[in-house]
């Protein structure tokens, strides 16, 4: 699969789903790229078949609410944070809509959740200024880090280290086998004045880290030295919402939604804006991700849009 500028510019919405009555706050592709899961502020979890372009199933989480949803490595299971009752993380069996396990511990809203790319462990971070490390097989927290501010976190592609962004100004890298010894390196960046960091992602080649914010700025830094590489701007975020920025699978392009309902695309290497993709999004696009295996893009406001290229890839 070769992604080049003219292929990116040719992407058009192939399918729109209108299952939700409120904004979709989180989406996640399965590692195989065959399914996509979304959750919304209307407390619905919707699962889509990416190959057929159909909706497979809807699961309700009316009691606890749902945010930050992620597939686990086992088929038909997911974890998510809660928006009601308490701040526990919940492990859900999707085929029979039953909770397998709860992970209690956070005392305030969970704002970052990521699953290890290689094993059944995950990280969660909360406004309570802690990062917790969990194993899906146990309800007990496996590790606890107290931080100086609100965290965002991500695993590297090998699942050997993780990055924690703290207070929108520093990124700390931890070795998973010895995280209790503290970070092995800290990158100090200029603190954001206009916005807060709301997400971190490693590129698939592990060389860069993408920082999403709740403002109209996205940052790209070198994952080994913390050097600022690019600042992506020009997308609209006048609502202060955490707009997701994502990589293409080859790490060459950066995608972001915007509050005017469009999807912006930049070249990761040069910072040059490749295009702005217009969809029928009637509300802010908070979630954008590229499928890890197939040539498709998903973007979500209240509606979910599947995008496909309309030119030959050659």
């Amino acid at each position: 699969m070769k992604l080049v500028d003219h292929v990116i510019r040719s992407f058009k919405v192939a399918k729109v789903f209108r299952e939700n009555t409120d904004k979709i706050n989180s989406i996640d592709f399965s590692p195989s790229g065959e399914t996509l899961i979304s959750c919304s502020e209307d407390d619905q979890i919707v699962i889509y078949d990416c190959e057929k372009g159909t909706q497979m199933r809807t699961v309700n989480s009316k009691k606890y609410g749902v945010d930050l949803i992620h597939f686990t490595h086992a088929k038909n299971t997911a974890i998510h944070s809660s928006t009601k009752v308490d701040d526990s993380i919940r492990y859900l069996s999707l085929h029979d809509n039953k909770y397998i396990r709860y992970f209690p511990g956070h005392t305030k809203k969970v704002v970052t959740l990521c699953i290890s790319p290689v094993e059944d462990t995950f990280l969660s971070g909360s406004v309570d200024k802690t990062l917790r490390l969990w194993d899906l097989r146990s309800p007990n927290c496996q590790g606890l880090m107290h931080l100086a501010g609100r965290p965002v976190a991500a695993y590297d592609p090998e699942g050997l280290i993780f990055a924690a962004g703290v207070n929108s100004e520093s990124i700390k890298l931890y070795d998973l086998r010895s995280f209790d010894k503290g970070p092995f390196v800290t990158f100090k960046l200029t603190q954001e004045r206009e916005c807060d960091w709301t997400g971190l992602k490693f590129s698939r080649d592990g060389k860069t880290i993408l920082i999403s914010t709740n403002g109209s700025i996205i940052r790209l830094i070198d994952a080994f030295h913390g050097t600022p590489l690019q600042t992506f701007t020009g997308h609209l975020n006048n609502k202060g919402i955490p707009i997701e920025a994502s990589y293409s699978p080859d790490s060459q392009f950066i995608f972001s939604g915007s509050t005017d309902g469009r999807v912006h695309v930049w070249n990761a290497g040069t910072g040059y804006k490749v295009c702005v993709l217009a969809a029928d999004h009637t509300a802010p696009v908070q979630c954008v991700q590229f499928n890890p295996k197939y040539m498709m893009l998903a973007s979500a406001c209240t509606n979910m849009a599947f995008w496909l290229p309309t030119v030959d890839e050659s």
Side-chain angles (χ1 to χ4, degrees):
M1 177 169 100
K2 191 84 178 110
L3 272 178
V4 289
D5 287 9
H6 78 273
V7 174
I8 294 279
R9 290 191 192 107
S10 82
F11 268 74
K12 297 276 186 292
V13 175
K15 192 84 186 263
V16 177
F17 302 91
R18 297 181 172 83
E19 312 305 323
N20 296 102
T21 57
D22 208 335
K23 83 169 172 194
I24 294 167
N25 49 26
S26 176
I27 66 175
D28 187 45
F29 281 103
S30 63
S32 69
E34 289 167 11
T35 49
L36 174 73
I37 196 166
S38 74
C39 64
S40 162
E41 294 187 359
D42 62 13
D43 307 329
Q44 284 194 102
I45 297 165
V46 184
I47 304 147
Y48 301 91
D49 183 317
C50 299
E51 290 178 295
K52 295 182 185 144
T54 55
Q55 183 205 337
M56 291 165 69
R57 207 161 48 252
T58 299
V59 174
N60 286 310
S61 178
K62 296 286 183 209
K63 184 175 177 184
Y64 301 112
V66 55
D67 197 1
L68 303 176
I69 198 151
H70 290 276
F71 281 115
T72 64
H73 298 295
K75 212 163 166 62
N76 272 329
T77 57
I79 54 169
H80 68 79
S81 63
S82 314
T83 58
K84 304 175 193 174
V85 184
D86 61 22
D87 297 292
S88 294
I89 294 147
R90 295 185 154 81
Y91 181 21
L92 178 64
S93 166
L94 295 164
H95 79 95
D96 55 4
N97 193 15
K98 286 195 169 67
Y99 284 106
I100 300 166
R101 194 163 286 119
Y102 296 165
F103 302 94
H106 285 300
T107 55
K108 290 184 177 166
K109 181 181 167 72
V110 173
V111 289
T112 188
L113 190 62
C114 46
I115 198 136
S116 163
V118 294
E119 57 190 10
D120 285 336
T121 59
F122 66 94
L123 274 168
S124 63
S126 158
V127 183
D128 66 16
K129 299 184 183 175
T130 65
L131 260 183
R132 288 172 182 266
L133 188 63
W134 309 87
D135 188 308
L136 280 172
R137 294 163 295 199
S138 164
N140 304 319
C141 173
Q142 307 291 304
L144 173 62
M145 285 142 281
H146 291 276
L147 303 165
R150 170 197 171 116
V152 285
Y155 284 92
D156 83 311
E158 268 78 54
L160 298 173
I161 65 168
F162 66 88
V166 187
N167 254 358
S168 306
E169 64 177 344
S170 63
I171 289 183
K172 298 172 185 292
L173 297 185
Y174 295 82
D175 186 317
L176 269 156
R177 291 156 300 193
S178 56
F179 65 85
D180 46 342
K181 294 191 174 76
F184 63 84
V185 67
T186 298
F187 304 139
K188 195 89 168 123
L189 299 155
T190 310
Q191 184 163 27
E192 301 296 344
R193 296 239 159 81
E194 308 290 315
C195 57
D196 298 312
W197 293 353
T198 53
L200 289 186
K201 286 180 185 174
F202 276 87
S203 59
R204 196 179 264 192
D205 58 16
K207 292 178 180 171
T208 61
I209 297 171
L210 188 63
I211 304 169
S212 305
T213 71
N214 60 2
S216 47
I217 196 160
I218 301 161
R219 301 200 184 276
L220 189 72
I221 66 162
D222 182 286
F224 301 107
H225 308 289
T227 328
L229 299 175
Q230 302 293 349
T231 298
F232 305 109
T233 57
H235 60 297
L236 198 63
N237 187 357
N238 52 14
K239 304 237 186 315
I241 60 173
I243 288 182
E244 178 178 38
S246 297
Y247 290 97
S248 57
D250 60 7
S251 313
Q252 300 301 309
F253 296 95
I254 305 297
F255 298 84
S256 169
S258 61
T259 48
D260 64 3
R262 299 189 298 172
V263 174
H264 295 246
V265 192
W266 298 266
N267 182 298
T270 63
Y272 169 79
K273 184 171 278 188
V274 177
C275 60
V276 180
L277 299 168
D280 301 328
H281 284 302
T282 51
V285 175
Q286 189 171 321
C287 306
V288 178
Q289 284 182 29
F290 207 98
N291 189 305
K293 298 285 193 234
Y294 296 99
M295 188 68 107
M296 72 166 280
L297 180 73
S299 62
C301 60
T302 307
N303 303 331
M304 172 71 74
F306 284 6
W307 303 71
L308 297 171
T310 55
V311 296
D312 184 22
E313 291 164 37
S314 55

